[in-house]
Amino acid sequence: MKSDGKVLLVGGGAIGMLSAFLLGRSGMQTCILDQGATGRESSWAGGGIVSPLYPWRYSAAVTALAHWSQDFYPGFGQRLLDETGIDPEVHVTGLYWLDLDDEAEALAWAARVGRELFAVDIAEAYDQVAVLGAGFKRAIHMPGVANVRNPRLVKALRAALTAMPNVELREHCPVTGFIQENGQIRGVTTAAGEIRADRVVLAAGAWSGELLKTLGLELPVEPVKGQMILFKCAEDFLPSMVLAKGRYAIPRRDGHILIGSTLEYAGFDKTPTDNALESLKASAEELLPALRDAEVVGHWAGLRPGSPEGIPFIGEVPSYPGLWLNCGHFRNGLVLAPASCQLLADLMLGREPIIDPAPYAPSGRLQ
Ligand SMILES: Cc1cc2nc3c(=O)[nH]c(=O)nc-3n(C[C@H](O)[C@H](O)[C@H](O)COP(=O)(O)OP(=O)(O)OC[C@H]3O[C@@H](n4cnc5c(N)ncnc54)[C@H](O)[C@@H]3O)c2cc1C
C-alpha cells in the first residue's frame, strides 16, 4: 500500500468526501476543509438520480463515468449502511421518459452502449404508473435506474470519515488561497491561518472557479442554480421515476416525492423564489395530478458546479504541481461521484486508472 504525505481536500460535498474516503482507505493522511458544514450544498440539494437526465445527449466522457458509477452504487450504499448505520437508500425504481423529441437517438444510443432502454406502449406506462397525468402519447423506459437519497448519502459519508483515524474534518474553515513554494502548491491559506500539505485537491463545487482565480487561472466552472420542491405521499404512491419536458418526479422509499428542477444562471444566490415554486408545482400537477391536493413540504435551491458539456475536471494542474482538481460535475455530480473519485485516487496513488483519464485532464482546459 502506497502512503504518500498529507492531502488537503478543499470542499466537503459528495466529491470531496468520497475522494477523502477512497484516499483514506488507501492509507493516505487526508484532511477536508469546508467553509460551512460538510454535505450541505449541492450534494444535499440535488435530486439524486443515478443517471444523467438524458444520458444519450452527453459525450462518451460523461457516459464512461456514469456507467462505472451506476455499477458501484448498490454495493457502496450497502457498505455505508453496514459501516455507519445510515442508509443512503439506493432505490432502483426505473425511469420513464415521456413524449421525448429525440426518442430515436435515445434508443440508438442504448443499443450502442449496451444499456437496457426500451420503447414501451404508452398503455403499459399508464399500467405501471397509475398516477401519471393524462395525455402522454409515447414512453421509453430504463428499468435499472436508481435514485440515491443524497442528504443521507452525505450524512453517511461524513460518519464513515469521522470513524477513519487518518481523515480529519475541519468545518467552518473557508479556504482563501493557496500556498506556493518553488513553483509547487504546498497547502492553503484559510481564515484561521495557513495549512500545509504535500498535495491539495480542489473539490469546492460551484466555488472552484473563484478559488482558482487566486492563482490567475480561468477554470470554467460557474454556479448554476437549481430549485426543487418536495411532497409527502403514501409509500406506494409512485413506483417509478418519471420525466417529461425537462421536469421529473423522484420517489423516495418512504413516499417523499421530489420534483425538479430549474436551471438558472443567477450567480451565487441560493434564494428559493415564488416563480420557481409555481412553475415546479405546475409541472408536478401535469406529471402527477394527484399532487394538486398534496402539500409542498419543502422548497430549496442549490448551486450546481456548471462546466462546459458537464465534463468534470479531474487530475493535476500542469502549471501548479501539487494542485489537483475534482470539480465541475454540473448536473451529474451524484451519479458521477464514485468513478470521478476513484479515478482521482488512482491518479494520485499512481495506480492503473479505472478509465482513460485524458478527457477530464485539466491540461489544455484552463487558461
Ligand atoms: C436542484 C439540483 C438537482 C440535482 N440533481 C442531481 C441528480 O439527480 N443527479 C446527480 O447526479 N446530480 C444532481 N445534481 C448535481 C449534483 O448535486 C452536483 O453535481 C454535486 O453535488 C456536486 O458535488 P460537489 O461536491 O462538487 O459540490 P458541493 O456539494 O456543492 O460541495 C462543495 C463544497 O465545497 C465547499 N466550499 C466551497 N468553497 C469553499 C472554500 N473557499 N473553502 C472551503 N470549502 C469550500 C462548500 O461549502 C461545499 O460543501 C443536482 C443539483 C441540483 C442543485
Side-chain angles (χ1 to χ4, degrees):
M1 187 160 53
K2 195 171 167 197
S3 168
D4 280 358
K6 184 171 168 183
V7 178
L8 283 181
L9 292 119
V10 181
I15 299 294
M17 285 202 282
L18 186 51
S19 299
F21 180 85
L22 296 173
L23 291 168
R25 282 293 149 105
S26 299
M28 277 188 153
Q29 200 65 37
T30 66
C31 173
I32 298 182
L33 305 168
D34 201 290
Q35 63 186 357
T38 53
R40 295 299 301 170
E41 293 292 349
S42 195
S43 300
W44 179 93
I49 303 177
V50 185
S51 169
L53 282 186
Y54 302 96
W56 55 91
R57 295 182 192 169
Y58 283 91
S59 65
V62 170
T63 301
L65 293 174
H67 286 179
W68 194 94
S69 297
Q70 284 165 337
D71 295 339
F72 182 87
Y73 253 111
F76 182 53
Q78 186 61 47
R79 180 173 164 190
L80 282 177
L81 171 60
D82 294 343
E83 281 184 27
T84 67
I86 300 165
D87 189 354
E89 296 185 18
V90 178
H91 188 28
V92 183
T93 61
L95 170 53
Y96 286 94
W97 284 266
L98 302 155
D99 291 355
L100 271 176
D101 290 333
D102 54 354
E103 203 174 283
E105 286 83 351
L107 296 171
W109 170 87
R112 207 167 52 243
V113 301
R115 272 347 226 200
E116 282 197 354
L117 174 67
F118 313 106
V120 293
D121 197 287
I122 193 66
E124 188 186 322
Y126 280 104
D127 273 354
Q128 295 300 318
V129 186
V131 285
L132 190 61
F136 292 109
K137 303 239 166 356
R138 283 172 289 114
I140 63 170
H141 183 223
M142 196 181 247
V145 189
N147 69 79
V148 60
R149 192 159 186 170
N150 40 300
R152 303 264 169 103
L153 173 74
V154 285
K155 199 172 167 196
L157 270 170
R158 187 184 186 285
L161 292 173
T162 307
M164 290 167 70
N166 55 335
V167 178
E168 190 188 347
L169 283 182
R170 287 209 201 177
E171 298 181 309
H172 308 289
C173 182
V175 169
T176 50
F178 301 92
I179 304 170
Q180 298 180 55
E181 255 171 33
N182 306 322
Q184 297 254 334
I185 296 299
R186 305 296 292 177
V188 297
T189 54
T190 77
E194 289 191 346
I195 304 176
R196 305 185 75 83
D198 299 290
R199 289 186 272 183
V200 174
V201 178
L202 182 59
W207 294 264
S208 302
E210 295 300 299
L211 267 173
L212 270 201
K213 275 189 195 150
T214 63
L215 290 173
L217 293 173
E218 272 302 320
L219 173 74
V221 173
E222 62 175 332
V224 183
K225 181 177 178 181
Q227 302 193 45
M228 304 202 69
I229 58 172
L230 182 71
F231 294 89
K232 177 74 175 75
C233 300
E235 268 174 36
D236 59 354
F237 172 74
L238 180 64
S240 170
M241 293 184 277
V242 291
L243 192 159
K245 298 184 195 161
R247 293 276 166 90
Y248 50 82
I250 306 172
R252 301 297 195 213
R253 284 191 197 149
D254 65 358
H256 276 106
I257 308 289
L258 290 98
I259 303 289
S261 60
T262 65
L263 198 70
E264 305 163 62
Y265 289 79
F268 288 95
D269 173 49
K270 275 196 313 182
T271 320
T273 62
D274 289 345
N275 270 353
L277 175 64
E278 289 315 313
S279 162
L280 289 165
K281 273 166 78 175
S283 297
E285 288 170 21
E286 192 178 340
L287 273 172
L288 307 167
L291 292 180
R292 194 169 296 132
D293 305 318
E295 191 194 341
V296 175
V297 297
H299 174 204
W300 62 86
L303 299 175
R304 307 176 184 92
S307 59
E309 294 179 63
I311 300 175
F313 295 83
I314 307 168
E316 194 170 20
V317 178
S319 49
Y320 288 99
L323 177 60
W324 293 69
L325 305 182
N326 196 3
C327 56
H329 294 76
F330 206 174
R331 304 195 79 172
N332 300 309
L334 294 160
V335 52
L336 304 185
S340 302
C341 300
Q342 185 67 49
L343 178 61
L344 175 87
D346 288 346
L347 296 172
M348 293 187 82
L349 290 159
R351 294 187 302 221
E352 181 70 24
I354 48 161
I355 51 173
D356 177 10
Y360 323 98
S363 173
R365 299 174 68 207
L366 303 179
Q367 285 157 8

